[in-house]
mmCIF file of all heavy atoms in Angstrom:
data_model
loop_
_atom_site.group_PDB
_atom_site.id
_atom_site.type_symbol
_atom_site.label_atom_id
_atom_site.label_comp_id
_atom_site.label_asym_id
_atom_site.label_seq_id
_atom_site.Cartn_x
_atom_site.Cartn_y
_atom_site.Cartn_z
ATOM 1 N N THR A 46 -7.548 8.074 5.176
ATOM 2 C CA THR A 46 -6.397 8.990 5.134
ATOM 3 C C THR A 46 -5.144 8.239 4.667
ATOM 4 O O THR A 46 -4.257 8.834 4.086
ATOM 5 C CB THR A 46 -6.127 9.619 6.516
ATOM 6 O OG1 THR A 46 -5.900 8.576 7.449
ATOM 7 C CG2 THR A 46 -7.278 10.459 6.977
ATOM 8 N N SER A 47 -5.106 6.921 4.900
ATOM 9 C CA SER A 47 -3.944 6.139 4.444
ATOM 10 C C SER A 47 -4.290 5.127 3.364
ATOM 11 O O SER A 47 -3.419 4.667 2.649
ATOM 12 C CB SER A 47 -3.314 5.407 5.626
ATOM 13 O OG SER A 47 -4.132 4.329 6.019
ATOM 14 N N GLY A 48 -5.566 4.737 3.244
ATOM 15 C CA GLY A 48 -5.953 3.712 2.271
ATOM 16 C C GLY A 48 -5.748 2.297 2.773
ATOM 17 O O GLY A 48 -5.871 1.345 2.017
ATOM 18 N N MET A 49 -5.430 2.159 4.066
ATOM 19 C CA MET A 49 -5.194 0.826 4.610
ATOM 20 C C MET A 49 -6.368 0.365 5.464
ATOM 21 O O MET A 49 -7.047 1.172 6.094
ATOM 22 C CB MET A 49 -3.900 0.810 5.409
ATOM 23 C CG MET A 49 -2.702 0.994 4.493
ATOM 24 S SD MET A 49 -1.139 0.574 5.221
ATOM 25 C CE MET A 49 -0.809 2.029 6.146
ATOM 26 N N GLU A 63 -7.842 -6.023 0.669
ATOM 27 C CA GLU A 63 -6.809 -4.975 0.776
ATOM 28 C C GLU A 63 -6.810 -4.108 -0.482
ATOM 29 O O GLU A 63 -6.669 -2.891 -0.409
ATOM 30 C CB GLU A 63 -5.425 -5.607 0.952
ATOM 31 C CG GLU A 63 -5.286 -6.572 2.133
ATOM 32 C CD GLU A 63 -5.348 -5.867 3.476
ATOM 33 O OE1 GLU A 63 -4.947 -4.700 3.543
ATOM 34 O OE2 GLU A 63 -5.809 -6.488 4.448
ATOM 35 N N VAL A 64 -6.963 -4.779 -1.628
ATOM 36 C CA VAL A 64 -7.044 -4.049 -2.899
ATOM 37 C C VAL A 64 -8.303 -3.183 -2.918
ATOM 38 O O VAL A 64 -8.267 -2.012 -3.307
ATOM 39 C CB VAL A 64 -7.053 -5.034 -4.095
ATOM 40 C CG1 VAL A 64 -7.279 -4.296 -5.399
ATOM 41 C CG2 VAL A 64 -5.751 -5.816 -4.148
ATOM 42 N N ALA A 67 -7.881 -0.029 -0.715
ATOM 43 C CA ALA A 67 -7.084 1.023 -1.354
ATOM 44 C C ALA A 67 -7.871 1.683 -2.488
ATOM 45 O O ALA A 67 -7.890 2.905 -2.614
ATOM 46 C CB ALA A 67 -5.776 0.431 -1.878
ATOM 47 N N GLY A 68 -8.534 0.869 -3.298
ATOM 48 C CA GLY A 68 -9.269 1.405 -4.449
ATOM 49 C C GLY A 68 -10.450 2.255 -4.035
ATOM 50 O O GLY A 68 -10.687 3.331 -4.583
ATOM 51 N N THR A 70 -10.795 3.829 -1.267
ATOM 52 C CA THR A 70 -10.287 5.066 -0.669
ATOM 53 C C THR A 70 -10.254 6.168 -1.732
ATOM 54 O O THR A 70 -10.641 7.309 -1.480
ATOM 55 C CB THR A 70 -8.874 4.834 -0.094
ATOM 56 O OG1 THR A 70 -9.000 4.029 1.072
ATOM 57 C CG2 THR A 70 -8.197 6.134 0.282
ATOM 58 N N ASP A 71 -9.823 5.791 -2.944
ATOM 59 C CA ASP A 71 -9.809 6.770 -4.049
ATOM 60 C C ASP A 71 -11.219 7.222 -4.402
ATOM 61 O O ASP A 71 -11.438 8.378 -4.754
ATOM 62 C CB ASP A 71 -9.105 6.171 -5.274
ATOM 63 C CG ASP A 71 -7.604 6.022 -5.061
ATOM 64 O OD1 ASP A 71 -7.068 6.734 -4.200
ATOM 65 O OD2 ASP A 71 -6.978 5.205 -5.751
ATOM 66 N N ARG A 74 -12.289 9.669 -1.595
ATOM 67 C CA ARG A 74 -11.541 10.934 -1.724
ATOM 68 C C ARG A 74 -12.021 11.731 -2.920
ATOM 69 O O ARG A 74 -12.149 12.961 -2.849
ATOM 70 C CB ARG A 74 -10.055 10.632 -1.885
ATOM 71 C CG ARG A 74 -9.388 10.183 -0.595
ATOM 72 C CD ARG A 74 -7.914 10.081 -0.864
ATOM 73 N NE ARG A 74 -7.153 9.604 0.265
ATOM 74 C CZ ARG A 74 -5.834 9.522 0.269
ATOM 75 N NH1 ARG A 74 -5.143 9.860 -0.811
ATOM 76 N NH2 ARG A 74 -5.200 9.091 1.327
ATOM 77 N N ARG A 78 -13.652 15.467 -2.784
ATOM 78 C CA ARG A 78 -13.032 16.558 -3.539
ATOM 79 C C ARG A 78 -14.041 17.212 -4.473
ATOM 80 O O ARG A 78 -14.105 18.433 -4.594
ATOM 81 C CB ARG A 78 -11.831 16.022 -4.334
ATOM 82 C CG ARG A 78 -10.830 17.089 -4.738
ATOM 83 C CD ARG A 78 -9.519 16.508 -5.200
ATOM 84 N NE ARG A 78 -9.689 15.472 -6.206
ATOM 85 C CZ ARG A 78 -9.306 14.209 -6.070
ATOM 86 N NH1 ARG A 78 -8.722 13.830 -4.967
ATOM 87 N NH2 ARG A 78 -9.486 13.335 -7.027
ATOM 88 N N LEU B 48 0.203 11.217 -7.036
ATOM 89 C CA LEU B 48 0.949 11.718 -5.874
ATOM 90 C C LEU B 48 2.273 10.986 -5.643
ATOM 91 O O LEU B 48 2.891 11.126 -4.593
ATOM 92 C CB LEU B 48 0.109 11.666 -4.591
ATOM 93 C CG LEU B 48 -1.212 12.446 -4.626
ATOM 94 C CD1 LEU B 48 -1.987 12.231 -3.353
ATOM 95 C CD2 LEU B 48 -0.966 13.919 -4.851
ATOM 96 N N TYR B 108 6.244 10.596 2.105
ATOM 97 C CA TYR B 108 6.736 9.263 2.442
ATOM 98 C C TYR B 108 7.906 8.863 1.550
ATOM 99 O O TYR B 108 8.004 9.307 0.411
ATOM 100 C CB TYR B 108 5.639 8.222 2.209
ATOM 101 C CG TYR B 108 4.428 8.342 3.090
ATOM 102 C CD1 TYR B 108 3.357 9.144 2.721
ATOM 103 C CD2 TYR B 108 4.333 7.619 4.277
ATOM 104 C CE1 TYR B 108 2.218 9.237 3.515
ATOM 105 C CE2 TYR B 108 3.196 7.705 5.073
ATOM 106 C CZ TYR B 108 2.148 8.518 4.683
ATOM 107 O OH TYR B 108 1.030 8.604 5.462
ATOM 108 N N ASP B 126 2.504 13.548 0.901
ATOM 109 C CA ASP B 126 1.864 13.180 2.163
ATOM 110 C C ASP B 126 0.435 12.667 1.980
ATOM 111 O O ASP B 126 -0.028 11.832 2.738
ATOM 112 C CB ASP B 126 1.871 14.384 3.102
ATOM 113 C CG ASP B 126 1.525 13.976 4.519
ATOM 114 O OD1 ASP B 126 2.123 12.992 4.988
ATOM 115 O OD2 ASP B 126 0.657 14.606 5.125
ATOM 116 N N ARG B 127 -0.246 13.180 0.946
ATOM 117 C CA ARG B 127 -1.665 12.815 0.787
ATOM 118 C C ARG B 127 -1.852 11.479 0.076
ATOM 119 O O ARG B 127 -2.980 11.083 -0.220
ATOM 120 C CB ARG B 127 -2.386 13.925 0.016
ATOM 121 C CG ARG B 127 -2.720 15.133 0.879
ATOM 122 C CD ARG B 127 -3.226 16.306 0.047
ATOM 123 N NE ARG B 127 -4.227 15.923 -0.932
ATOM 124 C CZ ARG B 127 -4.030 15.981 -2.262
ATOM 125 N NH1 ARG B 127 -2.884 16.391 -2.747
ATOM 126 N NH2 ARG B 127 -4.987 15.619 -3.075
ATOM 127 N N ILE B 128 -0.766 10.769 -0.207
ATOM 128 C CA ILE B 128 -0.889 9.519 -0.980
ATOM 129 C C ILE B 128 -1.727 8.474 -0.249
ATOM 130 O O ILE B 128 -1.806 8.465 0.979
ATOM 131 C CB ILE B 128 0.507 8.935 -1.317
ATOM 132 C CG1 ILE B 128 0.389 7.823 -2.359
ATOM 133 C CG2 ILE B 128 1.182 8.377 -0.067
ATOM 134 C CD1 ILE B 128 1.401 7.814 -3.403
ATOM 135 N N ASN B 129 -2.345 7.624 -1.046
ATOM 136 C CA ASN B 129 -3.070 6.467 -0.550
ATOM 137 C C ASN B 129 -2.019 5.372 -0.268
ATOM 138 O O ASN B 129 -1.527 4.722 -1.173
ATOM 139 C CB ASN B 129 -4.042 6.054 -1.653
ATOM 140 C CG ASN B 129 -4.889 4.871 -1.296
ATOM 141 O OD1 ASN B 129 -4.531 4.073 -0.456
ATOM 142 N ND2 ASN B 129 -6.014 4.750 -1.961
ATOM 143 N N VAL B 130 -1.667 5.222 1.014
ATOM 144 C CA VAL B 130 -0.563 4.316 1.366
ATOM 145 C C VAL B 130 -0.884 2.856 1.031
ATOM 146 O O VAL B 130 -0.012 2.086 0.623
ATOM 147 C CB VAL B 130 -0.190 4.435 2.862
ATOM 148 C CG1 VAL B 130 1.023 3.589 3.192
ATOM 149 C CG2 VAL B 130 0.103 5.865 3.219
ATOM 150 N N GLY B 131 -2.166 2.509 1.171
ATOM 151 C CA GLY B 131 -2.585 1.149 0.815
ATOM 152 C C GLY B 131 -2.256 0.861 -0.637
ATOM 153 O O GLY B 131 -1.709 -0.189 -0.979
ATOM 154 N N ARG B 132 -2.589 1.822 -1.489
ATOM 155 C CA ARG B 132 -2.330 1.679 -2.921
ATOM 156 C C ARG B 132 -0.826 1.706 -3.215
ATOM 157 O O ARG B 132 -0.337 0.934 -4.044
ATOM 158 C CB ARG B 132 -3.048 2.825 -3.634
ATOM 159 C CG ARG B 132 -2.895 2.827 -5.105
ATOM 160 C CD ARG B 132 -4.251 2.863 -5.792
ATOM 161 N NE ARG B 132 -4.062 2.892 -7.217
ATOM 162 C CZ ARG B 132 -4.342 3.945 -7.982
ATOM 163 N NH1 ARG B 132 -4.862 5.025 -7.447
ATOM 164 N NH2 ARG B 132 -4.128 3.890 -9.266
ATOM 165 N N HIS B 134 1.526 0.615 -1.309
ATOM 166 C CA HIS B 134 2.044 -0.715 -0.982
ATOM 167 C C HIS B 134 1.708 -1.733 -2.065
ATOM 168 O O HIS B 134 2.572 -2.504 -2.492
ATOM 169 C CB HIS B 134 1.480 -1.187 0.356
ATOM 170 C CG HIS B 134 2.172 -0.585 1.544
ATOM 171 N ND1 HIS B 134 3.505 -0.299 1.559
ATOM 172 C CD2 HIS B 134 1.704 -0.231 2.763
ATOM 173 C CE1 HIS B 134 3.836 0.207 2.732
ATOM 174 N NE2 HIS B 134 2.751 0.267 3.476
ATOM 175 N N LEU B 135 0.450 -1.736 -2.493
ATOM 176 C CA LEU B 135 0.039 -2.721 -3.503
ATOM 177 C C LEU B 135 0.858 -2.575 -4.775
ATOM 178 O O LEU B 135 1.393 -3.545 -5.311
ATOM 179 C CB LEU B 135 -1.454 -2.545 -3.833
ATOM 180 C CG LEU B 135 -2.443 -2.872 -2.726
ATOM 181 C CD1 LEU B 135 -3.833 -2.415 -3.125
ATOM 182 C CD2 LEU B 135 -2.448 -4.351 -2.430
ATOM 183 N N ARG B 139 4.088 -5.040 -6.156
ATOM 184 C CA ARG B 139 3.941 -5.647 -7.484
ATOM 185 C C ARG B 139 5.120 -5.228 -8.381
ATOM 186 O O ARG B 139 5.747 -6.054 -9.043
ATOM 187 C CB ARG B 139 2.613 -5.183 -8.086
ATOM 188 C CG ARG B 139 2.123 -6.048 -9.217
ATOM 189 C CD ARG B 139 0.764 -5.562 -9.682
ATOM 190 N NE ARG B 139 -0.239 -5.591 -8.625
ATOM 191 C CZ ARG B 139 -1.402 -4.930 -8.695
ATOM 192 N NH1 ARG B 139 -1.670 -4.150 -9.730
ATOM 193 N NH2 ARG B 139 -2.276 -5.024 -7.721
#
Side-chain angles (χ1 to χ4, degrees):
Chain A
T46 58
S47 73
M49 292 195 279
E63 304 291 330
V64 174
T70 288
D71 290 338
R74 286 187 183 184
R78 201 166 51 241
Chain B
L48 302 176
Y108 295 88
D126 193 48
R127 282 171 46 246
I128 192 139
N129 181 336
V130 185
R132 180 126 179 249
H134 281 325
L135 293 170
R139 199 176 301 164

